[in-house]
Amino acid sequence: MKTIIEPFRIKSVEPIRMTSRAEREEYLKRAHWNLFSLSARDVIIDLLTDSGTGAMSSEQWAAIMRGDESYAGSPSYYRFETAVREIYGIEHVIPTHQGRAAEHLLFQIYGGEGRVIPNNTHFDTTRANAEKSGATALDFPCAESLDTESDFPFKGNMDLEALRACLDSNGEAVPLVMVTMTNNAGGGQPVSLSNLKAVRKLCDQYEVPLFIDACRFAENAYLIKLSEAGQEGRELKDIALEIFSMADGCTMSAKKDGMVNIGGFIAVRDPDLARELRERLVVTEGFSTYGGMAGRDLDAVAQGLHEVLREDYQEYRHASITYVVDRLHQRGIPVVIPAGGHAVFIDAKRFYPKIPWSKFPGQALAIELYLEGGIRSCEIGSLMLGGTDEESGAAIPAARELVRLAIPRRTYTQSHMDYVVEVIESVWKGRDLIGGVEIVQAPRVLRHFTGQFRRLPNSRAPQAAHALPH
Ligand SMILES: *Cc1c(COP(=O)(O)O)cnc(C)c1O
């Protein structure tokens, strides 16, 4: 059959509260045009993030009931440990309440003043934890990753020459190399097995350990199966095992491919490192058999890790994202191609070519998507990633102006996605009438979370200015 169906049926539903455009204008005005400040009940389709927002299966809910809340040695912990060992093939498993806690532990040991941490692209919490320790976080994405129109299938790859140069010039200052799979900050694009092998080879040559930021490892494994030569006949669990066979350890946010609402872990091969991590774990997260998680949540992760590697699930997951990307691309709407693992990215620079980066075209588009159809998305452009030059005080742009529509796992159906396409299309038709956005007030760091904004009228379309609510 050509139709790829959602490989589940729905047992429990959560009503969506429908709103009118006039209501949404009022809500967003009160939120100072910042989508993070909205109440989630005023959102129709929430694509702000895929982190912890997915639906659990009936087997996961059953696992929740099985959860054992013993402080030490809970059977839930052993089921969790067994699942991670089986799927990742890494011996020592240390639970944490989410991914950033795992990163915090890792950089307590590997970070520090004068150290240099290379990655294909650090996720923002990874960068923050590395830098908070005093280390310098460096990104080496491959050249293809900057071209939003190239259909190269592994735009998450590491730039091998840049990594070699970094290892060469920094020597002992590099305590480990990280590879983020898929590359979240780089558009959810996957890393190929051959690129990972080449990274491993460099790590061997320079005698540095390799850690994988494994948040979306199963989506990455599926994209390897789909696009890498020689991988098409393999089972996802074998590809996943091969990925981790190259690593000395990994950090994981179970809120992504763990298919749960909260949780994470760090897994390592070296028993001495594991002991040191556990000593620190007990100070900030909890005892080594729960590490900040409830027993029931450990059980839900154990079940989720098996479900995420099912072929039918990954086939549907990828199809639901490609479905939107293909439809937008066919209509000439600028999206990042090929579709990444967990989100649709609209290129706001090409969507609104007349809005300069300093007027935040991505934020302008995110606002329009909410007003038009109650869709909540997230700007990943100069508002989130740009900044201010310390010396001159000049504003700095980001490399790209993107809007991310992250798709929660198993949460929305194809008709929800049809609606999303229709809303985007309608905003596209009115694109000439839209002005940019200005910051009214914002903190210096992470300004996208709490900043307050103002919409600017479009000077080239004065007749449309009255359409703006103020
Ligand atoms: C989400 C994420 C993290 C952090 O995990 P949290 O559970 O949100 O703390 C780290 N790395 C990547 C690539 C992520 O997507």
Side-chain angles (χ1 to χ4, degrees):
M1 291 299 137
K2 283 202 303 291
T3 309
I4 297 168
I5 62 168
E6 286 89 359
F8 48 80
R9 35 183 201 178
I10 296 164
K11 177 168 345 205
S12 174
V13 299
E14 193 178 0
I16 291 174
R17 196 175 74 88
M18 302 306 284
T19 54
S20 68
R21 185 178 172 108
E23 286 169 332
R24 293 193 291 271
E25 280 185 0
E26 187 51 37
Y27 299 145
L28 200 49
K29 199 157 99 184
R30 264 192 261 146
H32 301 282
W33 308 99
N34 186 332
L35 296 145
F36 283 96
S37 303
L38 285 173
S39 165
R41 72 185 283 282
D42 300 336
V43 175
I44 295 178
I45 306 273
D46 204 344
L47 308 181
L48 189 66
T49 176
D50 65 320
S51 178
T53 52
M56 290 208 293
S57 67
S58 49
E59 285 303 321
Q60 283 180 293
W61 284 109
I64 289 267
M65 290 308 295
R66 209 177 297 127
D68 177 299
E69 304 303 337
S70 303
Y71 190 92
S74 158
S76 297
Y77 171 74
Y78 294 113
R79 286 191 283 267
F80 169 84
E81 182 188 54
T82 303
V84 176
R85 283 181 177 166
E86 196 178 319
I87 288 163
Y88 294 67
I90 304 178
E91 173 78 9
H92 304 287
V93 185
I94 295 150
T96 59
H97 78 280
Q98 57 185 86
R100 68 197 68 185
E103 293 164 352
H104 178 64
L105 290 171
L106 184 70
F107 289 115
Q108 276 183 26
I109 293 170
Y110 283 109
E113 216 61 58
R115 297 231 160 130
V116 174
I117 320 283
N119 199 327
N120 46 350
T121 307
H122 288 270
F123 180 65
D124 54 11
T125 61
T126 324
R127 170 179 297 282
N129 275 299
E131 289 178 348
K132 191 161 164 268
S133 77
T136 307
L138 296 178
D139 294 340
F140 299 124
C142 65
E144 293 89 344
S145 69
L146 281 178
D147 181 357
T148 59
E149 285 170 272
S150 136
D151 61 0
F152 181 64
F154 293 104
K155 288 183 182 174
N157 280 354
M158 179 86 87
D159 180 335
L160 297 167
E161 278 321 303
L163 176 63
R164 181 195 296 280
C166 169
L167 290 164
D168 240 356
S169 58
N170 291 292
E172 307 252 299
V174 181
L176 58 80
V177 171
M178 286 194 85
V179 175
T180 306
M181 300 178 78
T182 57
N183 188 353
N184 184 7
Q189 297 290 325
V191 177
S192 70
L193 269 180
S194 64
N195 186 258
L196 188 63
K197 272 181 203 157
V199 171
R200 176 75 246 182
K201 222 164 143 185
L202 283 172
C203 289
D204 286 341
Q205 193 181 330
Y206 289 86
E207 295 177 23
V208 240
L210 172 60
F211 271 73
I212 294 177
D213 178 339
C215 298
R216 297 181 183 78
F217 75 101
E219 288 168 5
N220 201 118
Y222 183 74
L223 293 167
I224 285 173
K225 177 175 170 135
L226 207 63
S227 303
E228 191 160 354
Q231 303 300 320
E232 53 282 353
R234 296 182 72 190
E235 286 197 37
L236 293 179
K237 68 174 178 29
D238 293 338
I239 297 176
L241 268 177
E242 184 173 353
I243 289 172
F244 293 111
S245 73
M246 288 184 251
D248 296 281
C250 71
T251 53
M252 174 80 190
S253 169
K255 301 174 74 171
K256 286 56 172 269
D257 274 352
M259 310 275 263
V260 295
N261 305 116
I262 195 73
F265 59 85
I266 177 165
V268 300
R269 293 190 196 284
D270 177 355
D272 295 328
L273 175 59
R275 189 165 1 90
E276 210 178 328
L277 287 166
R278 288 192 177 108
E279 279 166 19
R280 289 169 196 271
L281 182 81
V282 81
V283 180
T284 56
E285 287 280 298
F287 184 68
S288 61
T289 61
Y290 74 89
M293 287 172 74
R296 62 179 84 98
D297 291 325
L298 292 166
D299 259 313
V301 175
Q303 176 63 24
L305 288 174
H306 283 106
E307 293 179 5
V308 79
L309 284 170
R310 288 192 189 150
E311 304 279 330
D312 58 359
Y313 165 71
Q314 284 298 340
E315 188 185 22
Y316 138 78
R317 170 86 176 142
H318 186 63
S320 69
I321 289 158
T322 326
Y323 183 79
V324 178
V325 169
D326 287 352
R327 265 152 198 78
L328 297 176
H329 191 55
Q330 281 156 12
R331 288 162 173 77
I333 298 171
V335 280
V336 175
I337 53 161
H342 67 286
V344 176
F345 289 82
I346 305 178
D347 186 341
K349 203 183 263 178
R350 289 192 280 136
F351 199 102
Y352 291 137
K354 289 179 192 146
I355 302 180
W357 64 265
S358 57
K359 297 288 182 286
F360 308 115
Q363 184 65 12
L365 176 54
I367 286 172
E368 289 311 308
L369 295 177
Y370 177 73
L371 294 179
E372 188 70 13
I375 297 172
R376 177 153 69 169
S377 58
C378 181
E379 189 260 13
I380 302 191
S382 291
L383 183 61
M384 180 190 275
L385 303 174
T388 314
D389 186 80
E390 297 266 322
E391 272 157 40
S392 68
I396 310 167
R400 298 182 293 180
E401 304 296 335
L402 301 179
V403 169
R404 184 182 80 173
L405 302 145
I407 314 294
R409 294 170 181 76
R410 305 188 290 207
T411 303
Y412 294 112
T413 64
Q414 185 169 335
S415 73
H416 291 119
M417 293 301 116
D418 285 331
Y419 175 85
V420 167
V421 171
E422 188 182 340
V423 170
I424 297 171
E425 218 181 336
S426 174
V427 170
W428 173 244
K429 282 188 194 128
R431 65 193 180 279
D432 289 338
L433 307 179
I434 302 303
V437 170
E438 186 173 81
I439 296 177
V440 174
Q441 103 182 33
R444 268 166 46 86
V445 289
L446 298 177
R447 58 190 180 181
H448 58 291
F449 283 131
T450 55
Q452 301 187 352
F453 315 116
R454 183 179 13 244
R455 296 172 85 201
L456 298 168
N458 181 341
S459 55
R460 276 167 234 84
Q463 76 282 8
H466 73 275
L468 295 179
H470 67 86

